[in-house]
Amino acid sequence: MNQRTGKAYDAVIIGGGAAGMAAAVRCAEKGLECAIVDREETLGGILYQCIHNGFGIHEFREELTGPEYAERYVGEIGRRAAVDVFLNSTVVGIDAGTPKKRVIVYSPFYGVLVLTAPAVILCMGCRERNRGNIGTAGTRPSGIFTAGLAQRLINIEGYVPGRNAVIMGSGDIGLIMARRMTWIGAKVSGVTEILPYPSGLSRNISQCLNDFNIPLYLSHLVTGIFGRDRVAGVEVAPLVDGKADHKRAFSIECDTILLSVGLIPENELSKEIGVAINQDTHGPYVDANYMTSVEGVFACGNVLHVHDLVDFVSEESRRCADCVARYLTSEGPPPSQGTVKAGPNVIYVVPNKFHYQKDTILFFRPFIVKNNVMLSVSLNGKVVRTKKLLHVQPSEMVRTILKPADVEKADPGDHNVVEISLR
């Protein structure tokens, strides 16, 4: 196919889910012309298959379903002439080595299209871990789905994936699917979780498992899958000191297994253009302006780190778009930034840099489940602020704001390190 040079934009946004839509709306509000490129037929990403409520409580101060949440942004984008949308289109490469970056898009309508912009915003979201990622032993029968795929089959395609399910992993999608499977008349014989605590939100444990008397096996591992043509059952063993106790293993009959064993940010494209990846989040390293290690390439939403609520995805994406607008209009070198790192009992902190002269909003994931925890902010090893938190757990992100007063004693430069820890 011949390449066709498309319109030049201020920013090209890759991905049209919650992050991409929020970034596009804010770019338009800032007077920027932008394009969204998404491989699906519609904007909204996974939101359209999430027909349960619980979305929008922070963003719109009301409880919405996933489609309702998506429609709010789709409507906003439709009213913005400064936003072009390319659907059914896939970004296959980015030439990020020049100030005017070239985004190569394969489109069934335009063929090979080249979009140019000084800024690119990565909003590709994340994907589910599958059986190959966790290496469960056993046969290879049909009836094994990721929880998100099962959700799409039921809510979008109108298929019932099975009649008796076991769910591996207690991530939020799996918990929601436990309830959804029950509502369509299927049996859920149990949810297994290798950790000693649930991986999903507390509200989903209560509303999706406890309300339907679905057993949750904490510190248990599925050690085998049985069945020839179709899943017939699983073997489950308790974990003792991290090892399966096979003497106490038991079997559960089922014809379906749903995997809810974690999400992986979609960063294959990021890696191809040389973006440095944070091994704690599996997303890009970003500075306090959400810029990656490649100048002019920004990242936000679940491609940066997996969020617990879509509302926070939208909020973060607006902040990212604000930073893109400042980047495109600023003159001279950017002010220096300090480094942020995770301390004891913290899995990661995002972003990875902080501002000296203005607030920096930080999100982090706890490594522990505990009540009455002390959040500690240290600058170069010296505690500058503490705050008591009533409860923390890994499934729920924690937000804190680093203020100029917290770092006023630091000498400006990139050698200063702020550490976030829980004690």
Side-chain angles (χ1 to χ4, degrees):
M1 289 185 287
N2 294 325
Q3 286 192 356
R4 172 178 171 176
T5 301
K7 182 179 175 182
Y9 296 92
D10 296 311
V12 173
I13 300 167
I14 304 174
M21 294 193 297
V25 170
R26 179 53 65 98
C27 280
E29 290 173 347
K30 292 289 183 179
L32 305 181
E33 289 191 73
C34 63
I36 303 177
V37 183
D38 194 280
R39 61 192 176 193
E40 300 294 336
E41 297 178 351
T42 61
L43 292 174
I46 199 173
L47 284 168
Y48 279 108
Q49 69 184 58
C50 301
I51 63 173
H52 55 280
N53 58 8
F55 299 88
I57 296 173
H58 298 274
E59 188 74 0
F60 298 110
R61 303 297 178 191
E62 56 183 307
E63 198 166 4
L64 305 173
T65 65
E68 290 171 334
Y69 189 96
E71 285 300 317
R72 298 286 177 98
Y73 276 100
V74 171
E76 275 295 309
I77 289 171
R79 290 187 283 274
R80 306 282 179 176
V83 182
D84 286 343
V85 178
F86 297 89
L87 297 174
N88 286 313
S89 302
T90 301
V91 174
V92 296
I94 304 173
D95 180 1
T98 59
K100 283 285 186 181
K101 304 180 192 320
R102 300 169 71 249
V103 179
I104 295 94
V105 180
Y106 280 14
S107 163
F109 186 74
Y110 296 105
V112 181
L113 187 64
V114 180
L115 307 178
T116 59
V120 172
I121 308 177
L122 305 176
C123 301
M124 295 89 76
C126 56
R127 65 173 183 268
E128 295 176 281
R129 292 181 188 273
N130 55 37
R131 184 177 179 180
N133 295 125
I134 58 176
T136 302
T139 56
R140 295 291 187 269
S142 64
I144 303 174
F145 308 86
T146 62
L149 174 58
Q151 186 180 53
R152 180 178 179 87
L153 289 174
I154 296 172
N155 294 345
I156 302 292
E157 309 294 342
Y159 294 108
V160 176
R163 295 296 182 186
N164 183 4
V166 166
I167 298 176
M168 293 172 59
S170 59
D172 287 309
I173 303 176
L175 299 177
I176 288 165
M177 284 309 298
R179 179 178 62 185
R180 188 72 179 109
M181 291 289 286
T182 305
W183 276 346
I184 64 172
K187 178 182 179 182
V188 178
S189 294
V191 176
T192 65
E193 172 58 61
I194 62 172
L195 296 173
Y197 49 81
S199 294
L201 297 172
S202 300
R203 73 181 191 193
N204 286 332
I205 294 293
S206 175
Q207 297 172 3
C208 301
L209 298 188
N210 297 345
D211 286 356
F212 297 92
N213 296 316
I214 297 172
L216 172 60
Y217 299 97
L218 296 175
S219 298
H220 280 69
L221 174 69
V222 172
T223 52
I225 296 174
F226 310 125
R228 181 176 178 181
D229 298 322
R230 179 78 190 195
V231 171
V234 294
E235 181 187 73
V236 180
L239 292 171
V240 179
D241 296 329
K243 297 181 179 179
D245 183 354
H246 293 283
K247 293 181 179 178
R248 295 164 57 200
F250 56 92
S251 298
I252 303 177
E253 291 186 1
C254 62
D255 64 13
T256 303
I257 297 170
L258 303 187
L259 303 176
S260 180
V261 289
L263 302 167
I264 306 172
E266 287 266 10
N267 276 295
E268 280 67 25
L269 188 61
S270 312
K271 295 173 185 174
E272 284 183 11
I273 62 174
V275 168
I277 300 298
N278 184 337
Q279 295 305 312
D280 293 327
T281 61
H282 302 288
Y285 281 105
V286 291
D287 67 11
N289 295 317
Y290 295 91
M291 187 187 292
T292 70
S293 58
V294 177
E295 183 174 351
V297 177
F298 297 76
C300 56
N302 284 341
V303 77
L304 178 58
H305 63 118
V306 177
H307 292 62
D308 53 358
L309 296 177
V310 71
D311 301 55
F312 298 147
V313 168
S314 301
E315 178 194 343
E316 180 181 89
S317 302
R318 281 197 300 276
R319 283 200 303 276
C320 178
D322 289 342
C323 295
V324 171
R326 285 195 293 271
Y327 168 74
L328 295 177
T329 57
S330 64
E331 297 180 355
S336 61
Q337 300 178 2
T339 299
V340 180
K341 74 172 189 178
N345 297 320
V346 173
I347 300 174
Y348 68 78
V349 186
V350 173
N352 308 108
K353 296 282 187 177
F354 68 87
H355 297 293
Y356 287 101
Q357 302 300 327
K358 59 183 178 180
D359 292 355
T360 306
I361 298 176
L362 302 173
F363 278 98
F364 67 89
R365 287 261 183 196
F367 193 66
I368 54 174
V369 180
K370 193 174 181 181
N371 295 328
N372 299 319
V373 179
M374 191 63 72
L375 164 65
S376 177
V377 179
S378 301
L379 172 66
N380 299 330
K382 182 179 180 182
V383 176
V384 296
R385 180 163 57 88
T386 59
K387 180 182 179 182
K388 185 177 180 180
L389 304 178
L390 294 178
H391 177 78
V392 297
Q393 58 187 59
S395 60
E396 298 181 5
M397 292 164 34
V398 181
R399 168 192 176 124
T400 188
I401 300 176
L402 189 67
K403 295 183 174 296
D406 296 327
V407 295
E408 63 182 355
K409 295 182 180 178
D411 296 326
D414 58 5
H415 57 282
N416 294 295
V417 178
V418 162
E419 181 181 271
I420 306 296
S421 60
L422 296 171
R423 302 180 190 280

